[in-house]
Amino acid sequence: MLIGAAMMPHGNPVLEPEDEETKRLAEVLGKIGRALSDADAYVLISPHNVRMSDHLGVVMAEHLVSWLGFEGKELPGEWRTEKELARKIYESAKSAGLPVVDMNFAALSGDYSRWPLSWGELIPLHFLEKKPLVLLTPARNVPREVLVRFGEVIGDVIEWSEKRVAFIASADHGHGHSEEGPYGKVKESEEYDRLVMEIISENRLEKLMEIPKELVRKALVDSYWQLLVLHGLLKRVPMGVRETSYACPTYFGMAGALWVR
Amino acid sequence: MLIGAAMMPHGNPVLEPEDEETKRLAEVLGKIGRALSDADAYVLISPHNVRMSDHLGVVMAEHLVSWLGFEGKELPGEWRTEKELARKIYESAKSAGLPVVDMNFAALSGDYSRWPLSWGELIPLHFLEKKPLVLLTPARNVPREVLVRFGEVIGDVIEWSEKRVAFIASADHGHGHSEEGPYGKVKESEEYDRLVMEIISENRLEKLMEIPKELVRKALVDSYWQLLVLHGLLKRVPMGVRETSYACPTYFGMAGALWVR
């Protein structure tokens, strides 16, 4: 069964927060970790693992291994894949006609069945107790409805599982918040972030479907596609939102939110 | 244009050959490296990178980085992806209706666009001069015709390219050659290896299509699917075979073969 869900950021600043807003966000991430600490497994969707244009991914590799930090920030660690749950998500998504692939690496099982993790997974995982994982990857060039449907399938599979499972969407928002940032300052980043935080605070994720594609594109976000999957999940298992928090200490917006039954 | 092709093994014994047969195989791999050393780029298909059941993969990540050796044998190194050629192969395969995905990691370009390599790539690359690569992955649960068609598409794209390109199939054969091996001794491994070496020596790869599926399965091979892709390539650009060699110093069959125009 689904015990909760969270949106979690993956930017280095939450690891060593310097301003009050980011400290508050890091505190919320700590609360999310505690609230979901009695899960048997996490299902984590990340925009900084494998990136395929038009196929969703389900990682089947047994060992998930820290590989790539951002700006030299290393977070070593190794996690196990919850293979049975991963297989059910893959098979159900495939049966539902979704464009999905199962992904292993090197060997199909055993010590050599390994998969690399980046900051996109490692930073959320830093705030969560170590549990077996199912790692999923979104896709940008599929219709929004496909992502929502994927979330519905994931929700159904988790809900039918005997395990207590939490769903985590790794997501950062607009990346154009600062003249000094790599993308400069674009007004759409602020607009998108404000809109998304409004949608999340009101717990009306169906409104994500109304966000113009152009705004998503111009706002330079890492969050939209995972949030559509979360929306699908919450359609199947409605939950209340708790503990939302937003910070933008550098050039990109970060936010946390917790949903519990 | 295609300047040549090779089948190359990925077992540790070719790195430090101990018996005469394996020494001869390592010599042939050296000859393959020299024969293909004036390529601008290599297209390498490997069974020990990402493994998807029913989708072919084209790696678009910019930096290909050594990650996973077999039995502790590390071969450090980093290669660049020949992105334009990779994109053309992906797009052409997609246009041909093949089940193919483009694969990036972490970021779509730049320093963080990285991809892990295993022994399946690193051992063949050890014998080749360092060049930009296109890394491809096969799939086992697709019809044979799909793999052959993928090879045809790759052949066409390479042939139209202004670059001088060589195609490398990383492939080991039966894994049931020894009572002491992890899979024990199975007669089908010997049968498959003999048959494949016959097919290659005669340069009649179309006969791969006649090998019973049951034999491929029982022989516990890593080679069949990549060889079907090579067959497709050679259908489009027929070349003569040179320098075939086979060795089985432990529990699995290894072989090298070179095709040149």
Side-chain angles (χ1 to χ4, degrees):
Chain A
M1 67 170 286
L2 187 71
I3 65 158
M7 174 178 77
M8 299 179 79
H10 51 252
N12 285 349
V14 292
L15 298 174
E16 289 151 5
E18 291 184 353
D19 60 291
E20 286 311 307
E21 224 179 27
T22 311
K23 280 180 191 163
R24 154 95 183 118
L25 173 56
E27 279 168 26
V28 163
L29 299 178
K31 284 184 189 172
I32 290 171
R34 288 189 292 280
L36 303 179
S37 64
D38 64 340
D40 298 317
Y42 300 122
V43 174
L44 169 62
I45 188 161
S46 167
H48 289 300
N49 201 268
V50 164
R51 301 176 67 149
M52 293 175 285
S53 300
D54 56 9
H55 281 71
L56 308 159
V58 180
V59 174
M60 299 302 304
E62 288 182 12
H63 303 271
L64 306 168
V65 185
S66 174
W67 189 52
L68 185 59
F70 194 69
E71 290 180 347
K73 185 71 193 171
E74 301 302 334
L75 293 168
E78 191 168 325
W79 286 257
R80 293 297 295 261
T81 289
E82 175 54 59
K83 279 190 92 163
E84 195 191 323
L85 190 61
R87 182 163 304 285
K88 280 187 185 154
I89 290 173
Y90 168 66
E91 285 171 359
S92 300
K94 209 167 166 64
S95 298
L98 298 177
V100 65
V101 296
D102 56 338
M103 300 189 295
N104 216 318
F105 186 87
L108 295 179
S109 62
D111 289 347
Y112 292 103
S113 171
R114 295 168 82 79
W115 196 263
L117 300 180
S118 83
W119 70 90
E121 303 83 60
L122 294 166
I123 291 177
L125 289 170
H126 176 76
F127 291 94
L128 298 166
E129 278 194 23
K130 186 168 277 194
K131 311 276 180 182
L133 306 177
V134 177
L135 176 57
L136 307 176
T137 60
R140 296 191 176 190
N141 295 346
V142 296
R144 301 172 193 217
E145 292 72 20
V146 164
L147 293 156
V148 177
R149 185 80 190 95
F150 191 40
E152 291 176 344
V153 166
I154 296 163
D156 288 344
V157 170
I158 292 177
E159 205 53 6
W160 278 92
S161 167
E162 285 173 14
K163 293 196 188 319
R164 295 169 58 80
V165 179
F167 178 85
I168 314 291
S170 172
D172 282 340
H173 308 279
H175 279 56
H177 285 284
S178 167
E179 298 286 6
E180 284 80 48
Y183 311 103
K185 192 166 173 69
V186 295
K187 67 179 190 327
E188 288 84 359
S189 287
E190 205 187 318
E191 188 184 342
Y192 173 91
D193 287 14
R194 199 175 46 236
L195 188 55
V196 159
M197 290 315 291
E198 216 174 84
I199 287 171
I200 286 171
S201 303
E202 294 173 0
N203 203 11
R204 293 187 56 188
L205 274 71
E206 65 279 9
K207 290 173 79 177
L208 289 168
M209 301 296 274
E210 296 162 19
I211 299 181
K213 279 181 189 166
E214 208 48 19
L215 175 57
V216 174
R217 192 180 65 75
K218 286 187 174 165
L220 304 164
V221 311
D222 268 353
S223 57
Y224 187 66
W225 306 273
Q226 301 91 275
L227 293 180
L228 288 177
V229 177
L230 177 60
H231 166 44
L233 183 98
L234 291 168
K235 277 179 76 175
R236 279 304 212 252
V237 190
M239 296 190 286
V241 73
R242 307 275 182 279
E243 304 291 353
T244 69
S245 181
Y246 178 87
C248 187
T250 62
Y251 61 90
F252 58 96
M254 297 187 294
L258 170 67
W259 285 260
V260 287
R261 294 186 88 120
Chain B
M1 68 170 286
L2 186 72
I3 65 158
M7 174 178 76
M8 299 178 81
H10 50 252
N12 285 347
V14 290
L15 298 173
E16 288 150 7
E18 292 183 354
D19 60 291
E20 285 312 307
E21 224 179 27
T22 311
K23 280 181 192 162
R24 154 97 182 119
L25 172 56
E27 279 170 24
V28 163
L29 298 178
K31 284 184 189 173
I32 289 172
R34 287 188 292 280
L36 303 178
S37 64
D38 65 340
D40 297 316
Y42 301 121
V43 174
L44 169 63
I45 188 161
S46 167
H48 289 299
N49 201 270
V50 164
R51 301 176 67 149
M52 294 176 283
S53 301
D54 55 11
H55 280 71
L56 308 159
V58 180
V59 174
M60 299 301 305
E62 287 182 13
H63 304 271
L64 307 168
V65 186
S66 175
W67 190 51
L68 185 59
F70 194 69
E71 291 179 344
K73 185 71 194 173
E74 303 301 335
L75 293 168
E78 192 169 325
W79 286 257
R80 293 297 297 261
T81 289
E82 174 54 60
K83 278 191 93 164
E84 195 191 322
L85 190 60
R87 183 163 303 283
K88 280 188 186 153
I89 290 173
Y90 169 66
E91 286 170 359
S92 301
K94 209 167 165 64
S95 299
L98 298 178
V100 65
V101 295
D102 57 337
M103 301 188 296
N104 216 317
F105 187 87
L108 294 180
S109 62
D111 288 347
Y112 293 103
S113 171
R114 295 167 82 78
W115 197 263
L117 300 181
S118 83
W119 71 89
E121 303 82 60
L122 294 166
I123 291 177
L125 289 170
H126 175 77
F127 291 93
L128 297 166
E129 278 194 23
K130 187 169 277 195
K131 312 275 179 182
L133 306 177
V134 177
L135 176 58
L136 307 176
T137 60
R140 296 190 177 191
N141 295 345
V142 295
R144 301 173 193 216
E145 292 72 19
V146 164
L147 293 156
V148 177
R149 184 79 190 94
F150 191 40
E152 291 175 345
V153 165
I154 296 163
D156 287 345
V157 170
I158 291 176
E159 205 52 5
W160 277 92
S161 167
E162 284 173 15
K163 293 195 187 318
R164 296 169 58 79
V165 180
F167 179 85
I168 314 291
S170 171
D172 282 340
H173 308 279
H175 279 56
H177 284 283
S178 165
E179 298 285 7
E180 284 80 49
Y183 311 102
K185 193 166 172 68
V186 294
K187 67 179 188 331
E188 288 84 0
S189 287
E190 204 186 318
E191 188 185 343
Y192 173 90
D193 287 14
R194 198 175 47 237
L195 187 56
V196 159
M197 290 314 293
E198 215 173 84
I199 286 171
I200 286 170
S201 303
E202 293 173 2
N203 203 13
R204 294 187 55 190
L205 274 72
E206 66 278 9
K207 289 173 79 177
L208 290 168
M209 301 296 274
E210 296 162 19
I211 300 182
K213 279 181 189 166
E214 208 49 20
L215 175 58
V216 173
R217 191 179 65 75
K218 287 187 173 164
L220 303 164
V221 312
D222 269 353
S223 58
Y224 187 65
W225 306 274
Q226 301 90 275
L227 293 181
L228 289 177
V229 177
L230 177 60
H231 166 45
L233 182 99
L234 290 169
K235 277 178 76 175
R236 278 306 210 252
V237 190
M239 296 189 286
V241 72
R242 307 274 183 279
E243 304 292 352
T244 70
S245 181
Y246 177 87
C248 188
T250 63
Y251 61 90
F252 56 96
M254 298 188 294
L258 169 67
W259 285 261
V260 287
R261 294 188 88 121

